[in-house]
Amino acid sequence: KALRMVDPAVAGFQPNMRFTEEELKEELNVPTDKRIFAIAQALHEKTMTVEEIHDITKIDHWFLRRLEAIVKTWDKMEQVSLDEMSEDLMLEAKKNGYSDTQISQCLKGTYTEDDIRNKRKGYGITPFTKQIDTLAAESPAATNYLYMTYHGMEDDVEGADGGIITLGSGAYRIGSSIEFDWCGVS
């Protein structure tokens, strides 16, 4: 999901370009904006282990294991059709940041984004509205900084008049902070 926020042309954590074996090791060795796609290729194609990627990149195992979990979810989805996709697998995919479009491209068979959305909503899997605590729990926050997530059990704010709208001005980029984002949407 974070990759889609940075560049809408990117589907998510999956190979975005093809690297030869030599190019792959070079991309892993030198930190660039393409490194994440080299990691995705290595994990998706099973050409390198987390340990081997760590040895080259020095990226902490904790982060690499999270990326590996995303790929393992992809591997599970490739084995099933939409009719066979369980509620648990759908929720796992959404929690791992997969868009409905990505899921449609991964499953056995041919499906549209709408097919996936209808199945997901049929399972009752929808994102929760969460509020960013800008006061670090020192006192109750009453900010309008909201985000949507599948990692939740309840909404932090109740929808007024039947709904909530979460507006954004684009990707959060390094160097920007939430305090300044308001100027981008006002």
Side-chain angles (χ1 to χ4, degrees):
K1 184 176 177 182
L3 292 171
R4 287 194 307 276
M5 286 184 67
V6 172
D7 184 350
V10 173
F13 184 69
Q14 58 192 63
N16 192 36
M17 49 196 69
R18 298 289 317 138
F19 298 109
T20 65
E21 184 178 343
E22 184 178 315
E23 292 169 336
L24 182 67
K25 288 182 179 176
E26 181 64 21
E27 286 298 332
L28 291 172
N29 189 46
V30 180
T32 71
D33 59 340
K34 297 176 191 165
R35 183 190 247 184
I36 191 71
F37 301 111
I39 295 169
Q41 179 179 327
L43 291 174
H44 273 276
E45 294 178 354
K46 317 286 188 269
T47 54
M48 298 180 86
T49 66
V50 165
E51 188 62 40
E52 290 169 324
I53 295 168
H54 166 76
D55 288 343
I56 296 170
T57 64
K58 305 304 183 220
I59 295 172
D60 192 278
H61 288 91
W62 187 90
F63 294 103
L64 294 173
R65 291 285 177 212
R66 298 312 173 272
L67 297 175
E68 182 183 48
I70 294 170
V71 173
K72 286 181 177 181
T73 300
W74 178 279
D75 293 343
K76 290 179 201 175
M77 289 191 295
E78 280 185 321
Q79 303 302 312
V80 298
S81 67
L82 184 56
D83 290 336
E84 298 167 328
M85 188 171 201
S86 69
E87 182 176 346
D88 287 342
L89 182 55
M90 181 71 78
L91 183 58
E92 178 182 330
K94 297 309 289 183
K95 284 184 173 183
N96 275 326
Y98 283 103
S99 68
D100 291 341
T101 300
Q102 275 183 293
I103 295 169
S104 74
Q105 295 165 351
C106 179
L107 297 175
K108 288 193 316 190
T110 304
Y111 306 101
T112 66
E113 178 182 9
D114 287 338
D115 295 333
I116 305 304
R117 183 176 292 110
N118 290 334
K119 178 84 167 189
R120 176 176 54 77
K121 285 186 166 187
Y123 281 143
I125 299 173
T126 57
F128 294 95
T129 305
K130 300 307 247 177
Q131 184 176 42
I132 295 173
D133 182 2
T134 56
L135 300 176
E138 292 177 7
S139 57
T143 62
N144 58 353
Y145 299 118
L146 307 175
Y147 65 99
M148 307 296 289
T149 182
Y150 288 92
H151 290 273
M153 301 299 286
E154 61 188 22
D155 292 316
D156 286 352
V157 295
E158 292 298 319
D161 298 324
I164 294 172
I165 186 166
T166 304
L167 299 175
S169 62
Y172 291 122
R173 303 214 185 255
I174 294 173
S176 71
S177 64
I178 197 158
E179 296 82 12
F180 298 103
D181 291 326
W182 177 248
C183 69
V185 295
S186 5

